[in-house]
Amino acid sequence: MTETNISAPIETVVRQDWSREEIADLFNLSFDELVFQAATVHRQHHTPGAVQLSTLLSIKTGGCPEDCGYCNQSASAESGLKAEKLLDVRSVLQTAAQAKDRGSSRFCMGAAWRNPKNRDMPAIIEMVKGVRQMGMETCMTLGMLTKEQSKMLADAGLDYYNHNIDTSPEHYEKVITTRTFGDRLETLENVRESGINVCSGGIVGMGETREDRVGFVHALATLPKHPESVPVNALVPVKGTVLGDMLADTPLAKIDDIEFVRTIAVARITMPASMVRLSAGRESLSESTQALCFLAGANSIFTGDKLLTTGNAGDDADEAMFEKLGLIPMAAEPPRHVNLEAAE
C-alpha cells in the first residue's frame, strides 16, 4: 500500500460530509502523521490520558436466530454454547454494583436476540432503572428496536443503545444475511429519535479490505449525528462460527496491529467528539499496541475478565497497564440524553 507523507490540514470541527476519498487519504498518511493528527484532534475534544472504563454483561446468552458469521451466540453456530434464559434483575444489578466497585463508570447489558419481545421489556426496564440509581451510565444492546421499544427505554432513562453496523455496506452481506445494512440504520434512527445516545461501531479483521474499512468509517462519520460512542472490535475467531473456522488457521487474515491503530486514528479524526472504544479482541493486542491506540485517540475500554462470551484482559491487567502508561479512569458523567429540540 502506497502511503503519502504529505500533511493534510488537521480537522478541528465536527463534520458529517466526509467523502470516501478524504477518509482513504487519511488511511494513506504516513503512520506518524496520522497518529499526530489524531492525537491533536483528540486533545481538542477530550481530556488526554483519561479513559472510560466500561463493563459488559451478557444478560441473555445464545440461541440468537441471526446468522452473523463472527458470533458464537448464533443458533447456526456450532460453538457448543448453550442458549440460556434472560437473567433475573437482581443478579444483573449485583454484577453492576461489583463493576462500579472496580471502577467502571458505564454498565453495558447485551442480549442475544434478533429483537426484544414485549414480554421481556418490563425486566429490561427494571435493569436500566436499577443501574442508573447506582450512578452509572447505562447501555443496552438487544438487537433491532421498534420506535415504541426505543421510547420505552428512553423513558426508563437508558443513556446509550449499542447497535453496530459491523462493517462496510459492501462487505456486510458476506458476514450477515438475516438482516440488512438498512435494518441496522433503521434501528439507529429509532434510537436517535427517542433521545437515547447512539453507540455504534464494528469489527475489523473479518477478511475485509482497507477499502471496506474506509467504507465502515464513512458510514458512521456521515450519519446525521455521529454516534456518541464508537466501539472498534478486532475479530475473535471462535471455533464453530463461520468466520472463526474460515480464518482461524489463516494468520494473514488477522488485521495487522498498525492497521488496527490506523483505523482507530481515522475514527478519531472523522468523529472527533465521539468516545472511541477498544472492545472485543483487545486481549490479543500487546500493551504497546494499546498504548498506540490511546495515543491515536481511543479513550474507552471494556474492562473485566469477559466480554459477553469471549475473554478479556481483566481488571488487574488493566490496572497495571494504566499505571504503566499514566492513564486515569474517567469518572462517570451525568446522563447525556440527546436534546431533541436542538437536533431538529
Side-chain angles (χ1 to χ4, degrees):
M1 177 67 68
T2 301
E3 297 175 356
T4 176
N5 287 305
I6 299 175
S7 297
I10 298 175
E11 293 291 339
T12 60
V13 297
V14 177
R15 298 171 46 193
Q16 283 79 29
D17 62 348
W18 290 94
S19 68
R20 287 203 176 201
E21 291 75 18
E22 287 177 302
I23 295 174
D25 286 344
L26 289 174
F27 267 101
N28 288 334
L29 285 172
S30 65
F31 186 73
D32 62 335
E33 177 64 25
L34 175 59
V35 172
F36 170 74
Q37 291 201 22
T40 301
V41 171
H42 180 75
R43 281 157 175 73
Q44 292 168 345
H45 294 267
H46 303 273
T47 302
V51 178
Q52 181 190 59
L53 301 182
S54 301
T55 297
L56 176 61
L57 174 68
S58 177
I59 60 174
K60 195 281 173 189
T61 302
C64 181
E66 303 282 15
D67 67 352
C68 304
Y70 52 80
C71 186
N72 65 338
Q73 298 201 66
S74 170
S76 60
E78 298 179 357
S79 61
L81 189 70
K82 295 182 179 180
E84 299 176 0
K85 295 181 179 179
L86 180 68
L87 295 179
D88 64 88
V89 175
R90 177 177 295 182
S91 64
V92 171
L93 297 184
Q94 287 176 340
T95 302
Q98 293 168 356
K100 182 180 180 181
D101 289 342
R102 293 193 297 266
S104 286
S105 60
R106 182 186 296 184
F107 192 68
C108 306
M109 296 158 274
W113 287 326
R114 175 178 172 82
N115 52 275
K117 302 294 188 295
N118 288 334
R119 66 172 180 268
D120 297 312
M121 292 304 293
I124 294 296
I125 296 302
E126 289 305 308
M127 292 176 192
V128 172
K129 290 181 177 179
V131 174
R132 289 192 88 244
Q133 288 173 358
M134 298 178 193
M136 301 178 75
E137 292 180 353
T138 54
C139 182
M140 284 273 183
T141 177
L142 313 170
M144 294 185 290
L145 290 182
T146 64
K147 292 180 182 293
E148 293 73 22
Q149 291 171 331
S150 298
K151 185 178 186 306
M152 291 175 66
L153 291 172
D155 290 344
L158 184 67
D159 297 303
Y160 291 82
Y161 192 80
N162 167 258
H163 198 63
N164 292 335
I165 62 170
D166 286 342
T167 187
S168 70
E170 294 79 13
H171 191 67
Y172 185 87
E173 290 184 356
K174 298 178 182 178
V175 180
I176 304 156
T177 67
T178 49
R179 75 174 98 167
T180 67
F181 196 84
D183 290 334
R184 300 269 183 178
L185 297 181
E186 182 178 352
T187 288
L188 294 181
E189 183 178 353
N190 291 341
V191 169
R192 180 65 77 194
E193 288 181 354
S194 74
I196 300 172
N197 292 295
V198 168
C199 173
S200 187
I203 307 170
V204 294
M206 296 193 294
E208 79 283 351
T209 63
R210 176 179 281 187
E211 184 177 354
D212 288 315
R213 289 187 282 278
V214 169
F216 158 63
V217 173
H218 178 263
L220 293 172
T222 55
L223 289 172
K225 183 176 174 63
H226 294 161
E228 282 74 15
S229 183
V230 180
V232 181
N233 303 269
L235 177 70
V236 179
V238 179
K239 185 178 180 180
T241 63
V242 173
L243 289 176
D245 291 343
M246 183 185 303
L247 301 177
D249 298 323
T250 310
L252 292 178
K254 180 182 181 297
I255 187 170
D256 176 79
D257 285 351
I258 295 299
E259 185 71 7
F260 185 84
V261 178
R262 284 184 180 276
T263 306
I264 294 291
V266 173
R268 167 53 66 217
I269 293 170
T270 56
M271 294 172 280
S274 302
M275 303 293 289
V276 177
R277 180 185 300 128
L278 302 183
S279 299
R282 186 168 65 87
E283 78 285 352
S284 68
L285 301 177
S286 68
E287 282 190 348
S288 297
T289 299
Q290 292 182 67
L292 285 172
C293 288
F294 294 131
L295 180 61
N299 60 343
S300 179
I301 64 170
F302 275 128
T303 191
D305 300 319
K306 194 175 184 180
L307 296 182
L308 294 180
T309 62
T310 58
N312 195 39
D315 297 319
D316 292 342
D318 288 336
E319 184 176 351
M321 180 179 67
F322 271 45
E323 183 175 355
K324 183 182 297 186
L325 298 179
L327 301 175
I328 302 172
M330 192 179 297
E333 298 182 1
R336 298 188 296 170
H337 284 278
V338 177
N339 186 332
L340 295 180
E341 292 182 359
E344 291 176 353

